Every structure is written in structure tokens, then in C-alpha cells.
Amino acid sequence: MIDHLKQELKKGLENYYLNKYNIEISMVVEEPKNASLGDISIPMFSVVKTLRKPMPELVNEAIEVINGFVLPVLDIKSVGAFINLFVDKAQLSVSIINKCLSSGDEFGNSEIGKGKNVTLDYSSPNIAKSFSIGHLRSTMIGNSLKLILRKCGYSTYAINYLGDWGTQFGKMIVAYKKWGNKEEIMSDPIKKLTELYVKFHVEAEKNPELEDEAREAFRKMELADPEYLELWRWIKDESLKESQQIYDLLEIDFDSYNGEAFFNDKMDAVVDELDSKGLLVEDQGAKIVDMGEDMPPALIKRSDGGSLYITRDLAAVFYRKKEYKFDKILYVVGNEQKLHFNQLKKLIDKMGYDFADNVIHVNFGLYLTNGKKASTRKGNVTKLYDVLQTAIKLAYDLINSKNPDLKDKERVAKYVGIAAIVFGDLKNFRGLDVEFNLEQSVKFEGQTGPYLQYTGVRIASILRDKEFDSNNCEAALFEKPHYFELVKMVSQFKSTIEKAAEECAPSVIAKYLLSLAQSFNKFYSLEKINVEDEKIRNTNFALAKSVRIVLNEGLRLLGIQYLDEM
């Protein structure tokens, strides 16, 4: 509620100046870095600059206004241009803890998205290729954003826009017809199809005419050639089996699996509209839209009549706007697609639609291995399923050595291993490239998902079979710095979630949870929690339970399962 208190002060002062002086002033209400100066600080520079009155006069006026608010403030002091407030820590802390305990997993719920629809496009693997570690970022960032947005009151629609169309399938079909054997492929479909895809590129370097054959094969797909479509459907079905295996393991689902192929019959209308609006021009047989001097032209149709990614994305965004009535649409796609989404937004704008600014590219960096990007065509990819299974096995071995009598070790190991990999990704700011290192990802100490799970398990162990009355607490304990620091951390949960939603950044929550866990473990090292004194024991249990509620819900928002035992 510290954040709530700051918002009340900001809103109250801004309303006061608007009503009295008919002037809008944006007030800054912050927490001083030095706690001895107060709990909340209000710099008055903007007020002096706007109203052009002496600082002492305006400071005294503001203090008088603040004293008129009904807030848990014990003392107000001014130091130069700053008004410093000392809050009633006991009253405020009891209010925060009771709010958390009564709300349970609804604590932190926000209404900033109430009545608004968000469509999310994420994961979106290419069929006929292994689901690699590189796909983890889009999948988990997108899934976390969906959960965060729902927590903020948004209605969400999650789309797995499968890469199931394009010239690469022409390449796959050519490779299959030249070198493939269906019986052999069925022994391990994705592995064998990937080997064929790699072989195509090796052979194409020696024989460039293979690229022409691939384009012709894809053209036959677009012309609905029965033989080629049958091959395509078979490849797609086998690919989806592997992808679903990953989604089941991560416990992720989608509202739609409509991939690129779904929009084949919807592209002509878009091309016709571009043409009717005078935007489409011919360039060496191809159809393009001139995007101006600051951006390359958008290629809408190739000279052979074949469609392109931008054309399908245009058809997709118009379909989604009509079907889902989104207020904004998030594309969780890598940094390298920045130009593509800039072109998409500009095309929407040039076509006269007013929602281009609501098309948001949620970019993220690459997973690198030894400083290099993985490439399917070169055969140097790390399968995500293998990484997850390795992490789960390492977790099992660790749990078995430390707690051999633990029930349901396989289930616990699954969730600990997945937490290690997922949190290892989400704790990083999404825009940065990440060097993938399996050994580092599955460490279970330090800034890791298992560390957060273990902190929650520690609290669960403390509270197991314990009863306490949060209304019979020793409120004076919250005057102690390590008590109040933990309460402040709990109170920041809602504003942290809202910030993560506004910035489309799950890392905001991940870093917050690390700080919360560290604060609790510091508290645990300083205080014996289960003490004889009933009021102190009630206070400690209530505070610990509040931390666990936030830890559990925070992990859920990251797509990580919390545990009761490890």
C-alpha cells in the first residue's frame, strides 16, 4: 500500500493545484534513498517553477493540504525543496498484510485492462523443423504476458501462428522427393525431415538450380496441387506432434493454431484493396508498395505471382481485428524482424486504418551458442525437449540426494527442472541476446527459479499445520526495518505487475521476485519465526504467509509451478 499511498498523495496534490490555480502540475512522489529522511518524499521544484512563488510559502501550503488528507502519516518534515513524510508503519503494515491474506491469489489484481481485448501472437514454430531452444523465448515471454495481462483485467486471445507455409516447404518437398524414404522418416519424423532440409542447402550450394525447383514446388502448393498438398499436410501433422509434446510439458495452451496457410484465401482481398487505393505498383514484374525514403519498399507479390510473409501478415491482422476486436495486438517475435513490423504498421496506416499504433512488436534477443545463432539449415540446433529433459534429470538427481524420502519426486523434479530453464530466460530483459549455457541454466542456487521455489517451500514448511490469528498481531514489530522492508516488498506486487504489463516485460516480475525472496531470507536469518509469544508468532506467520502468496502468484505469472515440498 506504500505505492497506493504515493498515488493518493500525487492525485490529491494535483487535484488541489488544478482546482485552486486552474493549472495542471505533474507531481513527483517518491521514496528517498536514505530511509532516515522519511518513507515518502515530495520534491516541490515543479510547483515553484509553475506557480512562481517562494519555495517556503509553497512548501507550507502543500504540508497544510497533506494534513487534510486522511492518510496513515505520523509526521511531516520539510528539508529545502523536499517534503518528507514518515508513515505509521504499524497501521500501514497491518492493513497491507490483512489485505494480502484476505485476497489470496487475487492479491495484486488490477483493473487497468478492464474492458480491453489483447491478441497475442507467440511461439509460432516453423513446421518440419525441430522445436529448438531458440523457440523458448517467444513461447515463454508470450505465455507470461498473457497471464500478466489477464491479471490486469484484459481479455486475451492467444494465437500460435504456425509457420506452415512458404518456400521452405517447397525445399522440403524437393528434398523428400529426391532423397527421402517415408518408412525411414516415420522412425523419427522431425529428425529425418530436418536432415533432409540440411541436405537440401548443402546440395543447393553446389547446384543453385535446386532453389528454382523449390520455388516451383511451392508454387504448385499455392495452386492446390493434390500431391504437393498431401505431402505438406503429412509434414505438418508430424511436426505438430513434436510441438504439442513441448506445450504439454510446459503446460501451455493457445486459443488458436491458425498458421500462415489459414490466410491463403484471404490475401487476394488485401492485394486488391492495396491496388484500389493506389498503393500497389509494379517493379520488375513484382508488386510492391513504396514506403518512402526512410524504409525499403514492401514486396507484396513476387514476379511469379507467389505470396510473401508481409502479405499474409496483412491478411492476418485484418482478420484478427475483425474476429477478435483487439484494442492492441502483440507480436512476440525476435529483434531481427523489426523492419518487417515497421513495414506492417506503415502499410496499415497508408491503407487508412487507425489502429497501426496498436500493433506492437514485442521484440526479444537471440539465444546464442558460443556467440553464434543456431541455424536449422546448418544443422546446429539444440532441441528444447532435450534441454528440458536434461534439466529435469539434474533436478531429480539433486532432489534424490538431498531428500530421498520425498513423495512424488518425478513430479517435483519436472517442475524444478522446467523452472530452472524458464526463469533462466525470463529474468533477462527480453531485448538482449542471451548466451545459452545448459549447465548455468540448471543451477539451483543464486538467481534461479528453483531458488524462488525453495523459498516458497521453506515458508510452507514453517506454516505447515500451524494456525494463527492475523488480527492479533504485535503491530509495533513493523517499526523494525527488516519487518517493514518485507511489507513494502509485498505492497509493491500490484504496481510491479502493472509495470510488467505496460512494458511487456516479464523480467520486471522475475527481478522483483528475486528481491522479495532475498528480503524474506534475510528476515529469516534475523528472526526466529515460530516463537512462544502468541502475538509475535501471529505477526511472523502472517508476514510469512503474505510473502508466500506473492511468491506463488508471481511464479504462476511467469509460467512456473510453485511447490509445497522439494
Side-chain angles (χ1 to χ4, degrees), residues 103-130:
S103 299
D105 58 13
E106 293 184 359
F107 185 69
N109 283 9
S110 168
E111 294 190 348
I112 62 170
K114 187 176 181 180
K116 296 178 183 177
N117 301 322
V118 178
T119 298
L120 302 97
D121 176 327
Y122 61 98
S123 193
S124 309
N126 290 322
I127 65 170
K129 296 181 183 179
S130 291

PDB file of all heavy atoms in Angstrom, residues 103-130:
ATOM      1  N   SER A 103      -7.128 -11.533   0.306  1.00  0.00           N
ATOM      2  CA  SER A 103      -7.238 -11.606  -1.160  1.00  0.00           C
ATOM      3  C   SER A 103      -6.724 -12.935  -1.705  1.00  0.00           C
ATOM      4  O   SER A 103      -7.179 -13.407  -2.753  1.00  0.00           O
ATOM      5  CB  SER A 103      -6.462 -10.463  -1.808  1.00  0.00           C
ATOM      6  OG  SER A 103      -6.959  -9.207  -1.411  1.00  0.00           O
ATOM      7  N   GLY A 104      -5.745 -13.543  -1.025  1.00  0.00           N
ATOM      8  CA  GLY A 104      -5.171 -14.789  -1.512  1.00  0.00           C
ATOM      9  C   GLY A 104      -4.527 -14.603  -2.871  1.00  0.00           C
ATOM     10  O   GLY A 104      -3.823 -13.622  -3.107  1.00  0.00           O
ATOM     11  N   ASP A 105      -4.779 -15.533  -3.790  1.00  0.00           N
ATOM     12  CA  ASP A 105      -4.127 -15.435  -5.105  1.00  0.00           C
ATOM     13  C   ASP A 105      -4.701 -14.310  -5.968  1.00  0.00           C
ATOM     14  O   ASP A 105      -4.211 -14.065  -7.075  1.00  0.00           O
ATOM     15  CB  ASP A 105      -4.170 -16.777  -5.861  1.00  0.00           C
ATOM     16  CG  ASP A 105      -5.584 -17.293  -6.075  1.00  0.00           C
ATOM     17  OD1 ASP A 105      -6.551 -16.524  -5.873  1.00  0.00           O
ATOM     18  OD2 ASP A 105      -5.740 -18.470  -6.441  1.00  0.00           O
ATOM     19  N   GLU A 106      -5.725 -13.614  -5.479  1.00  0.00           N
ATOM     20  CA  GLU A 106      -6.221 -12.441  -6.199  1.00  0.00           C
ATOM     21  C   GLU A 106      -5.480 -11.165  -5.784  1.00  0.00           C
ATOM     22  O   GLU A 106      -5.732 -10.089  -6.342  1.00  0.00           O
ATOM     23  CB  GLU A 106      -7.722 -12.259  -5.950  1.00  0.00           C
ATOM     24  CG  GLU A 106      -8.570 -13.376  -6.570  1.00  0.00           C
ATOM     25  CD  GLU A 106     -10.059 -13.132  -6.399  1.00  0.00           C
ATOM     26  OE1 GLU A 106     -10.429 -12.108  -5.776  1.00  0.00           O
ATOM     27  OE2 GLU A 106     -10.845 -13.976  -6.872  1.00  0.00           O
ATOM     28  N   PHE A 107      -4.573 -11.282  -4.810  1.00  0.00           N
ATOM     29  CA  PHE A 107      -3.772 -10.126  -4.397  1.00  0.00           C
ATOM     30  C   PHE A 107      -2.942  -9.655  -5.590  1.00  0.00           C
ATOM     31  O   PHE A 107      -2.331 -10.450  -6.303  1.00  0.00           O
ATOM     32  CB  PHE A 107      -2.851 -10.507  -3.234  1.00  0.00           C
ATOM     33  CG  PHE A 107      -2.088  -9.342  -2.664  1.00  0.00           C
ATOM     34  CD1 PHE A 107      -2.732  -8.340  -1.956  1.00  0.00           C
ATOM     35  CD2 PHE A 107      -0.710  -9.245  -2.849  1.00  0.00           C
ATOM     36  CE1 PHE A 107      -2.036  -7.262  -1.423  1.00  0.00           C
ATOM     37  CE2 PHE A 107       0.001  -8.179  -2.315  1.00  0.00           C
ATOM     38  CZ  PHE A 107      -0.656  -7.176  -1.607  1.00  0.00           C
ATOM     39  N   GLY A 108      -2.921  -8.355  -5.819  1.00  0.00           N
ATOM     40  CA  GLY A 108      -2.195  -7.809  -6.967  1.00  0.00           C
ATOM     41  C   GLY A 108      -3.043  -7.648  -8.204  1.00  0.00           C
ATOM     42  O   GLY A 108      -2.583  -7.099  -9.210  1.00  0.00           O
ATOM     43  N   ASN A 109      -4.299  -8.140  -8.158  1.00  0.00           N
ATOM     44  CA  ASN A 109      -5.180  -7.964  -9.316  1.00  0.00           C
ATOM     45  C   ASN A 109      -5.340  -6.475  -9.634  1.00  0.00           C
ATOM     46  O   ASN A 109      -5.425  -5.636  -8.733  1.00  0.00           O
ATOM     47  CB  ASN A 109      -6.558  -8.564  -9.049  1.00  0.00           C
ATOM     48  CG  ASN A 109      -6.563 -10.080  -9.169  1.00  0.00           C
ATOM     49  OD1 ASN A 109      -5.511 -10.712  -9.288  1.00  0.00           O
ATOM     50  ND2 ASN A 109      -7.747 -10.672  -9.131  1.00  0.00           N
ATOM     51  N   SER A 110      -5.384  -6.182 -10.923  1.00  0.00           N
ATOM     52  CA  SER A 110      -5.507  -4.793 -11.375  1.00  0.00           C
ATOM     53  C   SER A 110      -6.660  -4.677 -12.366  1.00  0.00           C
ATOM     54  O   SER A 110      -7.070  -5.670 -12.976  1.00  0.00           O
ATOM     55  CB  SER A 110      -4.190  -4.354 -12.039  1.00  0.00           C
ATOM     56  OG  SER A 110      -4.351  -3.134 -12.731  1.00  0.00           O
ATOM     57  N   GLU A 111      -7.144  -3.470 -12.528  1.00  0.00           N
ATOM     58  CA  GLU A 111      -8.221  -3.234 -13.494  1.00  0.00           C
ATOM     59  C   GLU A 111      -7.784  -2.301 -14.618  1.00  0.00           C
ATOM     60  O   GLU A 111      -8.632  -1.758 -15.333  1.00  0.00           O
ATOM     61  CB  GLU A 111      -9.447  -2.651 -12.778  1.00  0.00           C
ATOM     62  CG  GLU A 111     -10.102  -3.624 -11.803  1.00  0.00           C
ATOM     63  CD  GLU A 111     -11.437  -3.122 -11.284  1.00  0.00           C
ATOM     64  OE1 GLU A 111     -11.737  -1.933 -11.498  1.00  0.00           O
ATOM     65  OE2 GLU A 111     -12.175  -3.915 -10.666  1.00  0.00           O
ATOM     66  N   ILE A 112      -6.465  -2.147 -14.807  1.00  0.00           N
ATOM     67  CA  ILE A 112      -6.012  -1.222 -15.864  1.00  0.00           C
ATOM     68  C   ILE A 112      -6.420  -1.702 -17.262  1.00  0.00           C
ATOM     69  O   ILE A 112      -6.475  -0.903 -18.193  1.00  0.00           O
ATOM     70  CB  ILE A 112      -4.488  -0.985 -15.818  1.00  0.00           C
ATOM     71  CG1 ILE A 112      -3.707  -2.290 -16.044  1.00  0.00           C
ATOM     72  CG2 ILE A 112      -4.068  -0.317 -14.524  1.00  0.00           C
ATOM     73  CD1 ILE A 112      -2.214  -2.070 -16.245  1.00  0.00           C
ATOM     74  N   GLY A 113      -6.715  -2.993 -17.384  1.00  0.00           N
ATOM     75  CA  GLY A 113      -7.116  -3.512 -18.691  1.00  0.00           C
ATOM     76  C   GLY A 113      -8.584  -3.868 -18.781  1.00  0.00           C
ATOM     77  O   GLY A 113      -9.021  -4.502 -19.754  1.00  0.00           O
ATOM     78  N   LYS A 114      -9.355  -3.457 -17.795  1.00  0.00           N
ATOM     79  CA  LYS A 114     -10.769  -3.832 -17.770  1.00  0.00           C
ATOM     80  C   LYS A 114     -11.488  -3.343 -19.028  1.00  0.00           C
ATOM     81  O   LYS A 114     -11.379  -2.187 -19.424  1.00  0.00           O
ATOM     82  CB  LYS A 114     -11.438  -3.239 -16.529  1.00  0.00           C
ATOM     83  CG  LYS A 114     -12.870  -3.711 -16.325  1.00  0.00           C
ATOM     84  CD  LYS A 114     -13.453  -3.159 -15.021  1.00  0.00           C
ATOM     85  CE  LYS A 114     -14.881  -3.653 -14.799  1.00  0.00           C
ATOM     86  NZ  LYS A 114     -15.452  -3.118 -13.534  1.00  0.00           N
ATOM     87  N   GLY A 115     -12.209  -4.265 -19.673  1.00  0.00           N
ATOM     88  CA  GLY A 115     -12.971  -3.919 -20.866  1.00  0.00           C
ATOM     89  C   GLY A 115     -12.151  -3.854 -22.138  1.00  0.00           C
ATOM     90  O   GLY A 115     -12.676  -3.473 -23.195  1.00  0.00           O
ATOM     91  N   LYS A 116     -10.864  -4.243 -22.067  1.00  0.00           N
ATOM     92  CA  LYS A 116      -9.991  -4.166 -23.248  1.00  0.00           C
ATOM     93  C   LYS A 116      -9.567  -5.570 -23.690  1.00  0.00           C
ATOM     94  O   LYS A 116      -9.367  -6.454 -22.857  1.00  0.00           O
ATOM     95  CB  LYS A 116      -8.758  -3.319 -22.941  1.00  0.00           C
ATOM     96  CG  LYS A 116      -9.081  -1.865 -22.624  1.00  0.00           C
ATOM     97  CD  LYS A 116      -7.817  -1.091 -22.271  1.00  0.00           C
ATOM     98  CE  LYS A 116      -8.138   0.342 -21.877  1.00  0.00           C
ATOM     99  NZ  LYS A 116      -6.920   1.082 -21.452  1.00  0.00           N
ATOM    100  N   ASN A 117      -9.413  -5.732 -25.000  1.00  0.00           N
ATOM    101  CA  ASN A 117      -9.021  -7.016 -25.583  1.00  0.00           C
ATOM    102  C   ASN A 117      -7.600  -6.938 -26.128  1.00  0.00           C
ATOM    103  O   ASN A 117      -7.241  -5.972 -26.817  1.00  0.00           O
ATOM    104  CB  ASN A 117      -9.963  -7.409 -26.723  1.00  0.00           C
ATOM    105  CG  ASN A 117     -11.407  -7.520 -26.277  1.00  0.00           C
ATOM    106  OD1 ASN A 117     -11.683  -7.988 -25.172  1.00  0.00           O
ATOM    107  ND2 ASN A 117     -12.327  -7.086 -27.118  1.00  0.00           N
ATOM    108  N   VAL A 118      -6.809  -7.960 -25.819  1.00  0.00           N
ATOM    109  CA  VAL A 118      -5.455  -8.052 -26.364  1.00  0.00           C
ATOM    110  C   VAL A 118      -5.298  -9.393 -27.064  1.00  0.00           C
ATOM    111  O   VAL A 118      -5.591 -10.443 -26.493  1.00  0.00           O
ATOM    112  CB  VAL A 118      -4.383  -7.922 -25.265  1.00  0.00           C
ATOM    113  CG1 VAL A 118      -2.982  -8.063 -25.871  1.00  0.00           C
ATOM    114  CG2 VAL A 118      -4.505  -6.588 -24.544  1.00  0.00           C
ATOM    115  N   THR A 119      -4.832  -9.345 -28.294  1.00  0.00           N
ATOM    116  CA  THR A 119      -4.488 -10.556 -29.031  1.00  0.00           C
ATOM    117  C   THR A 119      -2.974 -10.712 -28.987  1.00  0.00           C
ATOM    118  O   THR A 119      -2.240  -9.740 -29.180  1.00  0.00           O
ATOM    119  CB  THR A 119      -4.978 -10.465 -30.484  1.00  0.00           C
ATOM    120  OG1 THR A 119      -6.412 -10.352 -30.493  1.00  0.00           O
ATOM    121  CG2 THR A 119      -4.575 -11.679 -31.276  1.00  0.00           C
ATOM    122  N   LEU A 120      -2.511 -11.925 -28.705  1.00  0.00           N
ATOM    123  CA  LEU A 120      -1.072 -12.190 -28.642  1.00  0.00           C
ATOM    124  C   LEU A 120      -0.696 -13.248 -29.668  1.00  0.00           C
ATOM    125  O   LEU A 120      -1.337 -14.301 -29.766  1.00  0.00           O
ATOM    126  CB  LEU A 120      -0.651 -12.679 -27.253  1.00  0.00           C
ATOM    127  CG  LEU A 120      -0.941 -11.771 -26.055  1.00  0.00           C
ATOM    128  CD1 LEU A 120      -2.245 -12.195 -25.369  1.00  0.00           C
ATOM    129  CD2 LEU A 120       0.195 -11.825 -25.045  1.00  0.00           C
ATOM    130  N   ASP A 121       0.334 -12.973 -30.434  1.00  0.00           N
ATOM    131  CA  ASP A 121       0.870 -13.892 -31.440  1.00  0.00           C
ATOM    132  C   ASP A 121       2.251 -14.312 -30.938  1.00  0.00           C
ATOM    133  O   ASP A 121       3.178 -13.499 -30.897  1.00  0.00           O
ATOM    134  CB  ASP A 121       0.946 -13.152 -32.780  1.00  0.00           C
ATOM    135  CG  ASP A 121       1.577 -13.957 -33.902  1.00  0.00           C
ATOM    136  OD1 ASP A 121       2.482 -14.763 -33.632  1.00  0.00           O
ATOM    137  OD2 ASP A 121       1.194 -13.741 -35.074  1.00  0.00           O
ATOM    138  N   TYR A 122       2.393 -15.575 -30.533  1.00  0.00           N
ATOM    139  CA  TYR A 122       3.683 -16.004 -29.984  1.00  0.00           C
ATOM    140  C   TYR A 122       3.920 -17.499 -30.194  1.00  0.00           C
ATOM    141  O   TYR A 122       3.029 -18.223 -30.614  1.00  0.00           O
ATOM    142  CB  TYR A 122       3.797 -15.652 -28.507  1.00  0.00           C
ATOM    143  CG  TYR A 122       2.774 -16.292 -27.586  1.00  0.00           C
ATOM    144  CD1 TYR A 122       3.068 -17.438 -26.857  1.00  0.00           C
ATOM    145  CD2 TYR A 122       1.519 -15.720 -27.409  1.00  0.00           C
ATOM    146  CE1 TYR A 122       2.152 -18.006 -25.999  1.00  0.00           C
ATOM    147  CE2 TYR A 122       0.587 -16.278 -26.544  1.00  0.00           C
ATOM    148  CZ  TYR A 122       0.905 -17.432 -25.841  1.00  0.00           C
ATOM    149  OH  TYR A 122      -0.010 -17.988 -24.999  1.00  0.00           O
ATOM    150  N   SER A 123       5.109 -17.911 -29.893  1.00  0.00           N
ATOM    151  CA  SER A 123       5.647 -19.259 -30.099  1.00  0.00           C
ATOM    152  C   SER A 123       5.857 -19.496 -31.595  1.00  0.00           C
ATOM    153  O   SER A 123       6.959 -19.387 -32.100  1.00  0.00           O
ATOM    154  CB  SER A 123       4.761 -20.347 -29.482  1.00  0.00           C
ATOM    155  OG  SER A 123       5.472 -21.568 -29.439  1.00  0.00           O
ATOM    156  N   SER A 124       4.794 -19.818 -32.316  1.00  0.00           N
ATOM    157  CA  SER A 124       4.784 -19.831 -33.783  1.00  0.00           C
ATOM    158  C   SER A 124       5.998 -20.532 -34.411  1.00  0.00           C
ATOM    159  O   SER A 124       6.734 -19.942 -35.200  1.00  0.00           O
ATOM    160  CB  SER A 124       4.702 -18.392 -34.311  1.00  0.00           C
ATOM    161  OG  SER A 124       3.638 -17.699 -33.700  1.00  0.00           O
ATOM    162  N   PRO A 125       6.219 -21.820 -34.078  1.00  0.00           N
ATOM    163  CA  PRO A 125       7.355 -22.529 -34.687  1.00  0.00           C
ATOM    164  C   PRO A 125       7.106 -22.835 -36.153  1.00  0.00           C
ATOM    165  O   PRO A 125       5.958 -22.911 -36.600  1.00  0.00           O
ATOM    166  CB  PRO A 125       7.430 -23.817 -33.867  1.00  0.00           C
ATOM    167  CG  PRO A 125       6.010 -24.052 -33.433  1.00  0.00           C
ATOM    168  CD  PRO A 125       5.450 -22.685 -33.177  1.00  0.00           C
ATOM    169  N   ASN A 126       8.187 -23.012 -36.891  1.00  0.00           N
ATOM    170  CA  ASN A 126       8.079 -23.471 -38.265  1.00  0.00           C
ATOM    171  C   ASN A 126       7.920 -24.990 -38.262  1.00  0.00           C
ATOM    172  O   ASN A 126       8.701 -25.696 -37.615  1.00  0.00           O
ATOM    173  CB  ASN A 126       9.326 -23.106 -39.073  1.00  0.00           C
ATOM    174  CG  ASN A 126       9.422 -21.619 -39.326  1.00  0.00           C
ATOM    175  OD1 ASN A 126       8.420 -20.958 -39.569  1.00  0.00           O
ATOM    176  ND2 ASN A 126      10.620 -21.079 -39.246  1.00  0.00           N
ATOM    177  N   ILE A 127       6.917 -25.486 -38.967  1.00  0.00           N
ATOM    178  CA  ILE A 127       6.747 -26.929 -39.018  1.00  0.00           C
ATOM    179  C   ILE A 127       7.880 -27.525 -39.857  1.00  0.00           C
ATOM    180  O   ILE A 127       8.556 -26.845 -40.625  1.00  0.00           O
ATOM    181  CB  ILE A 127       5.369 -27.330 -39.572  1.00  0.00           C
ATOM    182  CG1 ILE A 127       5.215 -26.915 -41.038  1.00  0.00           C
ATOM    183  CG2 ILE A 127       4.253 -26.737 -38.746  1.00  0.00           C
ATOM    184  CD1 ILE A 127       3.975 -27.498 -41.689  1.00  0.00           C
ATOM    185  N   ALA A 128       8.094 -28.822 -39.665  1.00  0.00           N
ATOM    186  CA  ALA A 128       9.159 -29.584 -40.331  1.00  0.00           C
ATOM    187  C   ALA A 128      10.545 -29.246 -39.798  1.00  0.00           C
ATOM    188  O   ALA A 128      11.542 -29.626 -40.373  1.00  0.00           O
ATOM    189  CB  ALA A 128       9.125 -29.386 -41.848  1.00  0.00           C
ATOM    190  N   LYS A 129      10.588 -28.513 -38.676  1.00  0.00           N
ATOM    191  CA  LYS A 129      11.861 -28.222 -38.031  1.00  0.00           C
ATOM    192  C   LYS A 129      11.732 -28.553 -36.550  1.00  0.00           C
ATOM    193  O   LYS A 129      10.655 -28.456 -35.968  1.00  0.00           O
ATOM    194  CB  LYS A 129      12.236 -26.750 -38.191  1.00  0.00           C
ATOM    195  CG  LYS A 129      12.477 -26.320 -39.631  1.00  0.00           C
ATOM    196  CD  LYS A 129      12.860 -24.848 -39.692  1.00  0.00           C
ATOM    197  CE  LYS A 129      13.022 -24.382 -41.137  1.00  0.00           C
ATOM    198  NZ  LYS A 129      13.372 -22.942 -41.194  1.00  0.00           N
ATOM    199  N   SER A 130      12.851 -28.916 -35.946  1.00  0.00           N
ATOM    200  CA  SER A 130      12.833 -29.223 -34.521  1.00  0.00           C
ATOM    201  C   SER A 130      12.459 -27.986 -33.713  1.00  0.00           C
ATOM    202  O   SER A 130      12.854 -26.869 -34.046  1.00  0.00           O
ATOM    203  CB  SER A 130      14.208 -29.730 -34.070  1.00  0.00           C
ATOM    204  OG  SER A 130      14.469 -31.003 -34.608  1.00  0.00           O
TER     205      SER A 130
END
